[in-house]
Amino acid sequence: MIQGFSACKLTVTSHTLAASLHSLSLSSLTLSPSLSRFFWRRSCSISPAAASHLRFQSPEMAANDRKTPKLPVKGKRNILITSALPYVNNVPHLGNIIGCVLSADVYARYCRLRGYNAIYICGTDEYGTATETKAMEENCSPKEICDKYHAIHKDIYEWFDISFDEFGRTSAPQQTEVCQAIFKRLLDNKWLSENTMQQLYCDTCKRFLADRLVEGICPTPGCEYDSARGDQCEKCGKLLNPTELKTPRCKVCQNTPRIRDTDHLFLELPLLREKLEKYIEEVKGSWSSNAKQTTASWLREGLKPRCITRDLKWGVPVPHEKYSDKVFYVWFDAPIGYVSITACYTTEWEKWWKNPENVELYQFMGKDNVPFHTVMFPSTLLGTGENWTLMKTISVTEYLNYEAGKFSKSKGIGVFGNDAKDTNIPVEVWRYYLLTNRPEVSDTLFTWPDLQAKLNSELLNNLGNFINRVLSFIAKPEGQGYDSAIPALADGLSSESHDPTKKLAERISAYVDQYIEEMEKVRLKQGLKIAMAISTEGNGYLQECEFWRLYKENKPLCSLVMKTAVGVVYILACLLEPFMPSLTQEVFKQLNLSTELHLSLCDEKGDVNKAKIPWEILNAGHKIGKPQPLFKELKDEDVEFYRKKFAGSQADRILRAEAEAGKVAEELKKTKISDGGKKKSSSKSSNDGKNKAAPEPEITISRLDIRVGLIKKAQKHPDADSLYVEEIDVGEEQPRTVVSGLVKYIPLEEMQNRKVCVLCNLKPATMRGIKSQAMVLAASNSDHTKVELVEPPSSAKVGERVTFPGFEGNPDELLNPKKKVWETLQVDLQSNGELVACYKDVPLTTSAGVCKVSSIQNGSIR
Ligand SMILES: [Zn+2]
Ligand SMILES: [Zn+2]
């Protein structure tokens, strides 16, 4: 939803008040920019799936009534849980995952464990400018973008064992229905006003331009950066309104847009203030302090009318004659996604959402989303005059930072959801580490050595060790252990007669009470800490009792100790289930218990009281399963490996991978046939049977379309530290946009206004959001520490073709990437001892002479 905000900085010129409302203050139309620019996107984004809604659940949930959706039950605690909807066009990183989706999952699992009637709703937020822009860049429809990323999100959350009851998408028809119904009520109740604003319009593209689709000269004196974006100048950092840019141009077609009036609808927040304050007064007892503070400061600064419509196509259409060509602004429609996704889950969704007497709404989000959930969304619902279930408890996280810096989606820094599953570190370890590090009151830091320390000392040496010691001893054959059967207590022997057992039971029971107290308040990190303290108690108990000695010296007492200890194992597995469901599955398997029947922490069933008598939890004679170690040590070299692997941005990682691939190609070349590009294709005879399509032409250097180009402008890629974006004249009507990974090697000034050799018939590729329409040729030394541009003579004509004497023929229109033409030829492109750029021994030649590099001899050219 976020993206919309920046786009909302419209200038209001006049206001016509539709609904008899008072006048607006103009400056008020914008959210505080720092907030607005990152709304949702930063803290979470989920993408829409191909199916209008998907469900994924842990296996044990799935076994439960999948077909019959849960509805509120009178007399029970009915808990509706939501996680902020991740924005669809990104891969979530670990900071996003802990920020809402995982945190809400822990709480949802806890509720189920306690026997509450809880559902967990989430989905991808799909509408808005960001998706539209991305679709334009990738040359596909917004829906295709959403389908693609929804699937990515879905996979990642499945891997992380997130137990959604419904994981939907805001592009579902239910969204349109619910959103339009809410709008109509707001309109009828006269909470909406109309305003004329001014926005840039491109006559060529026939559309109003979102902020990020406008570029121009920065108005800041002394900056005057000529590619400032409509929402912000990248050079001086100033937040901008697109109408402030000098000589603005449309990013799509480069034409000059004009200022045009456009009417929009506004939600009259100031008029709803009284209702809102009443709600906040009644409810905020259970809000976290960061939520209370943010909300208070919003109210203190005064509420402003907020624009709820946009000149876009990809959104929920506004059901109003005058506004039929507009859609709702994402900030307005995205929270409604919680409702519409519930409507996908059950047609009786109103039993959850319009039932405040019987339903408690818990919402999880990152700190940047607070005002949307404490001010905007409740105001919207209150304005309908209907009896909505409003948020009771809000759980807000700060940020998780990565090693030295911030996780950044746009910069690709950090570990992403899809990276985590490519490590050998199991999901329960990831969940544990993220949750012990949950940024509840302040930002926290992800580091690999910290993950290693927590895994090795807390999970392996404490928890894993305790459980494994108990189960392995019970599993030992008669004479050394109990032959896998839970021992019976000797007659007359009670815990009363054994002080360590009595004390252990008291402490554990106290811990369980504390655990519940913390979890009820959604202090998840604290809950986890308490559960782990029980494991420490267990280890201390085993040491104190010296069960291995008791087995020989006092067998009845040893039976009491082991029966008690295995009861503690069971308690631990239950308490840890919300945090590490896969671990609990495994421990239950080793205990030979079914999670469906035995996983529970309900008051009604007396589960909590069992903690006072752990020796009575498992029945004597019950046979346990096969004990196995639960965790594996993470070694120093593994840590070093991961640290390197995930260093830098994703773009850097791609370049590193490419460099690796280059080395491999280098190796391959030695064994590859390549003779002047002559006969390489196999003779027809081997292609037995019917001849298929035309034979693939032989791979010869003349198929490459290399031209002399002039870099008219080069700048840093806005979203990738290692990339430049250049505008290069290659003799065509329009310059081409080219993205090159040269930042580390060539200073920006040296890129400007320079003649280069450009490969023009590669298939265009999008690099971090910008489509690269050609490739600049450069040479690198063997260890890739030095890179230089291949330069044509200064008098070569811009646009002329670079040829290879002896290899005549026309270039392909576009090289078929599947045939690896470029890849095959590239291995023979090198600078020679005289610094001349060559294919084998044939120089790259122009009408003005050969092309050269400045200092790298025998460098590989690509
Ligand atoms: Zn500037
Ligand atoms: Zn345009």
Side-chain angles (χ1 to χ4, degrees):
M1 340 182 101
I2 306 317
Q3 75 276 19
F5 277 129
S6 47
C8 140
K9 286 179 275 162
L10 307 174
T11 317
V12 175
T13 45
S14 66
H15 16 283
T16 49
L17 300 184
S20 81
L21 300 175
H22 59 191
S23 67
L24 311 169
S25 108
L26 302 196
S27 60
S28 66
L29 296 176
T30 342
L31 254 189
S32 133
S34 61
L35 277 173
S36 61
R37 302 176 65 249
F38 298 108
F39 180 38
W40 300 109
R41 244 202 277 161
R42 176 131 141 224
S43 41
C44 26
S45 325
I46 302 179
S47 73
S52 75
H53 54 280
L54 293 169
R55 292 172 192 193
F56 47 95
Q57 306 174 317
S58 60
E60 75 270 28
M61 287 302 305
N64 279 343
D65 44 12
R66 231 174 185 283
K67 287 147 261 157
T68 355
K70 285 177 258 178
L71 293 174
V73 177
K74 258 236 156 81
K76 273 202 144 190
R77 274 192 77 184
N78 300 299
I79 302 183
L80 174 55
I81 299 161
T82 69
S83 152
L85 306 183
Y87 199 76
V88 76
N89 64 355
N90 269 309
V91 178
H93 57 62
L94 297 182
N96 305 132
I97 290 167
I98 183 61
C100 31
V101 178
L102 176 58
S103 297
D105 182 62
V106 172
Y107 187 69
R109 287 175 177 276
Y110 167 77
C111 289
R112 296 181 195 120
L113 191 64
R114 297 278 288 146
Y116 305 152
N117 187 39
I119 60 169
Y120 177 13
I121 299 294
C122 189
T124 17
D125 172 22
E126 309 198 350
Y127 285 137
T129 320
T131 306
E132 255 194 26
T133 311
K134 183 119 181 167
M136 222 163 357
E137 281 166 9
E138 296 196 8
N139 203 16
C140 60
S141 70
K143 176 156 189 316
E144 285 168 329
I145 288 282
C146 293
D147 289 350
K148 170 178 158 190
Y149 284 96
H150 182 93
I152 292 173
H153 278 261
K154 177 183 168 291
D155 277 359
I156 289 172
Y157 301 137
E158 242 166 349
W159 189 81
F160 273 94
D161 282 338
I162 307 295
S163 61
F164 300 121
D165 289 277
E166 184 74 27
F167 183 71
R169 11 189 345 182
T170 61
S171 62
Q174 286 85 344
Q175 175 77 356
T176 304
E177 219 173 280
V178 178
C179 195
Q180 292 185 343
I182 288 175
F183 166 78
K184 282 179 189 147
R185 297 209 55 119
L186 293 172
L187 192 70
D188 290 348
N189 295 343
K190 308 203 188 312
W191 298 119
L192 301 177
S193 59
E194 254 182 310
N195 256 281
T196 303
M197 357 221 282
Q198 295 188 319
Q199 203 179 345
L200 291 173
Y201 183 87
C202 176
D203 285 306
T204 322
C205 300
K206 300 220 175 350
R207 57 186 287 170
F208 284 101
L209 299 176
D211 294 5
R212 52 184 64 222
L213 285 186
V214 188
E215 262 185 7
I217 298 173
C218 175
T220 310
C223 173
E224 276 144 32
Y225 178 51
D226 72 345
S227 300
R229 264 193 344 220
D231 54 348
Q232 187 174 22
C233 171
E234 296 256 278
K235 195 173 164 204
C236 70
K238 188 176 172 351
L239 295 168
L240 297 170
N241 185 322
T243 51
E244 292 174 80
L245 291 172
K246 291 198 252 173
T247 62
R249 57 186 186 271
C250 167
K251 235 177 135 176
V252 178
C253 70
Q254 304 299 320
N255 284 334
T256 309
R258 64 187 168 91
I259 292 177
R260 206 177 124 172
D261 284 354
T262 174
D263 289 347
H264 281 286
L265 289 164
F266 289 73
L267 178 63
E268 282 293 335
L269 289 175
L271 301 184
L272 286 158
R273 180 177 179 130
E274 211 176 301
K275 285 177 191 290
L276 179 71
E277 282 181 331
K278 184 168 166 278
Y279 151 68
I280 291 173
E281 221 24 73
E282 286 166 8
V283 78
K284 78 176 177 200
S286 46
W287 288 7
S288 61
S289 61
N290 41 11
K292 280 186 223 167
Q293 279 164 19
T294 311
T295 308
S297 86
W298 266 67
L299 292 173
R300 210 168 36 238
E301 281 163 29
L303 298 176
K304 320 280 162 50
R306 283 186 63 86
C307 187
I308 64 165
T309 49
R310 298 269 75 199
D311 289 296
L312 277 183
K313 299 247 171 329
W314 183 237
V316 174
V318 179
H320 186 292
E321 213 180 324
K322 182 174 170 194
Y323 295 95
S324 57
D325 58 339
K326 297 177 198 261
V327 301
F328 288 110
Y329 207 163
V330 280
W331 75 259
F332 180 76
D333 98 68
I336 293 173
Y338 300 134
V339 182
S340 76
I341 293 167
T342 313
C344 294
Y345 173 68
T346 167
T347 50
E348 297 178 82
W349 60 271
E350 286 175 305
K351 292 192 172 160
W352 284 106
W353 280 99
K354 294 185 182 171
N355 190 359
E357 294 77 23
N358 295 300
V359 175
E360 302 165 53
L361 174 59
Y362 280 68
Q363 303 201 281
F364 289 78
M365 69 204 71
K367 65 179 163 190
D368 45 358
N369 275 336
V370 170
F372 300 96
H373 292 81
T374 62
V375 177
M376 262 83 88
F377 188 44
S379 296
T380 304
L381 297 179
L382 289 165
T384 63
E386 296 170 303
N387 193 26
W388 287 91
T389 305
L390 297 175
M391 178 173 67
K392 177 188 164 196
T393 298
I394 181 171
S395 175
V396 178
T397 45
E398 311 275 319
Y399 299 130
L400 174 69
N401 294 320
Y402 180 71
E403 297 256 305
K406 273 206 182 324
F407 273 99
S408 163
K409 260 189 216 177
S410 58
K411 294 198 172 123
I413 291 173
V415 177
F416 287 73
N418 47 354
D419 295 332
K421 61 177 177 180
D422 293 339
T423 63
N424 287 325
I425 302 170
V427 63
E428 58 268 22
V429 175
W430 281 109
R431 287 181 61 122
Y432 178 80
Y433 180 65
L434 290 172
L435 289 160
T436 54
N437 229 352
R438 183 174 186 249
E440 290 182 0
V441 289
S442 60
D443 290 2
T444 56
L445 189 64
F446 175 105
T447 70
W448 287 101
D450 188 33
L451 185 149
Q452 179 192 29
K454 292 211 160 96
L455 165 54
N456 293 351
S457 69
E458 297 173 15
L459 292 178
L460 177 69
N461 290 338
N462 180 351
L463 179 66
N465 182 45
F466 170 66
I467 296 174
N468 197 250
R469 260 174 112 183
V470 174
L471 300 188
S472 311
F473 190 70
I474 292 174
K476 281 186 182 164
E478 199 53 58
Q480 300 167 49
Y482 297 94
D483 209 12
S484 297
I486 306 290
L489 295 189
D491 287 343
L493 181 68
S494 87
S495 61
E496 286 301 316
S497 55
H498 188 236
D499 213 40
T501 302
K502 195 176 139 203
K503 287 210 173 107
L504 176 80
E506 283 164 9
R507 279 199 292 264
I508 286 180
S509 168
Y511 275 135
V512 172
D513 291 344
Q514 272 180 49
Y515 168 91
I516 291 170
E517 200 183 317
E518 298 292 351
M519 295 297 280
E520 289 295 334
K521 292 181 186 149
V522 202
R523 290 205 288 250
L524 309 179
K525 198 151 85 171
Q526 206 49 31
L528 177 54
K529 219 171 170 175
I530 291 164
M532 292 299 288
I534 292 178
S535 170
T536 310
E537 287 290 338
N539 274 317
Y541 176 67
L542 295 182
Q543 278 317 104
E544 187 186 357
C545 297
E546 300 184 300
F547 61 90
W548 56 95
R549 237 185 47 197
L550 287 181
Y551 189 78
K552 289 176 203 131
E553 295 169 6
N554 185 346
K555 215 160 173 200
L557 192 54
C558 187
S559 300
L560 173 67
V561 169
M562 293 320 290
K563 200 162 187 280
T564 303
V566 77
V568 175
V569 168
Y570 166 87
I571 292 170
L572 265 174
C574 288
L575 300 190
L576 289 171
E577 196 276 343
F579 303 97
M580 295 183 279
S582 48
L583 175 82
T584 297
Q585 287 288 337
E586 178 60 27
V587 174
F588 268 63
K589 198 175 123 204
Q590 296 185 19
L591 283 170
N592 190 23
L593 294 175
S594 126
T595 44
E596 260 169 68
L597 296 177
H598 300 105
L599 178 65
S600 166
L601 191 66
C602 299
D603 294 333
E604 307 90 79
K605 294 196 209 153
D607 296 330
V608 179
N609 280 328
K610 280 192 211 157
K612 296 195 176 104
I613 41 170
W615 51 87
E616 284 185 15
I617 292 177
L618 279 94
N619 293 332
H622 170 79
K623 282 265 187 181
I624 65 165
K626 189 165 179 274
Q628 300 273 6
L630 294 163
F631 296 102
K632 250 175 60 195
E633 184 186 1
L634 190 62
K635 302 225 166 67
D636 289 346
E637 55 263 35
D638 301 331
V639 169
E640 215 24 59
F641 174 78
Y642 291 131
R643 244 178 133 164
K644 278 211 188 106
K645 180 166 173 192
F646 297 113
S649 68
Q650 281 197 324
D652 290 336
R653 287 184 228 154
I654 290 165
L655 290 176
R656 276 206 304 274
E658 280 167 1
E660 287 298 314
K663 276 185 210 148
V664 174
E666 206 81 21
E667 295 294 315
L668 279 176
K669 140 187 139 176
K670 289 167 192 149
T671 56
K672 205 171 239 167
I673 20 68
S674 52
D675 211 5
K678 278 280 159 182
K679 39 156 185 210
K680 117 142 230 183
S681 52
S682 51
S683 63
K684 289 258 172 61
S685 59
S686 64
N687 263 353
D688 70 302
K690 28 214 125 156
N691 259 339
K692 320 172 182 159
E696 172 67 13
E698 64 178 358
I699 295 186
T700 156
I701 193 73
S702 66
R703 292 178 64 185
L704 302 184
D705 181 6
I706 301 176
R707 294 184 223 165
V708 174
L710 175 68
I711 303 180
K712 306 195 71 166
K713 190 179 86 186
Q715 62 188 91
K716 294 272 280 269
H717 190 299
D719 291 323
D721 288 341
S722 62
L723 302 177
Y724 285 130
V725 181
E726 305 105 18
E727 299 294 333
I728 303 182
D729 182 354
V730 291
E732 295 165 340
E733 239 170 67
Q734 293 280 341
R736 292 202 191 191
T737 301
V738 179
V739 181
S740 324
L742 294 169
V743 172
K744 270 188 288 183
Y745 308 106
I746 301 172
L748 188 57
E749 316 84 72
E750 287 181 25
M751 294 289 291
Q752 311 289 356
N753 211 14
R754 190 164 165 179
K755 278 190 184 155
V756 285
C757 292
V758 185
L759 178 57
C760 293
N761 60 346
L762 278 181
K763 185 168 183 267
T766 300
M767 296 176 80
R768 297 210 64 76
I770 295 183
K771 189 170 267 184
S772 181
Q773 298 160 317
M775 188 170 87
V776 173
L777 295 185
S780 66
N781 61 356
S782 58
D783 59 6
H784 208 71
T785 50
K786 220 165 125 184
V787 177
E788 293 170 354
L789 295 171
V790 174
E791 289 196 280
S794 58
S795 54
K797 231 178 84 212
V798 170
E800 77 163 284
R801 189 166 173 213
V802 175
T803 56
F804 300 86
F807 295 89
E808 319 307 347
N810 289 325
D812 290 12
E813 176 96 1
L814 195 65
L815 296 170
N816 181 345
K818 293 202 185 101
K819 302 298 179 196
K820 305 272 180 237
V821 180
W822 161 245
E823 288 81 345
T824 307
L825 296 165
Q826 186 273 325
V827 294
D828 287 311
L829 281 170
Q830 284 167 336
S831 59
N832 67 14
E834 276 94 42
L835 304 174
V836 176
C838 295
Y839 170 69
K840 299 179 190 287
D841 295 318
V842 184
L844 280 74
T845 308
T846 71
S847 59
V850 299
C851 304
K852 297 182 98 172
V853 298
S854 53
S855 74
I856 299 174
Q857 295 180 336
N858 308 313
S860 167
I861 292 173
R862 68 165 74 98

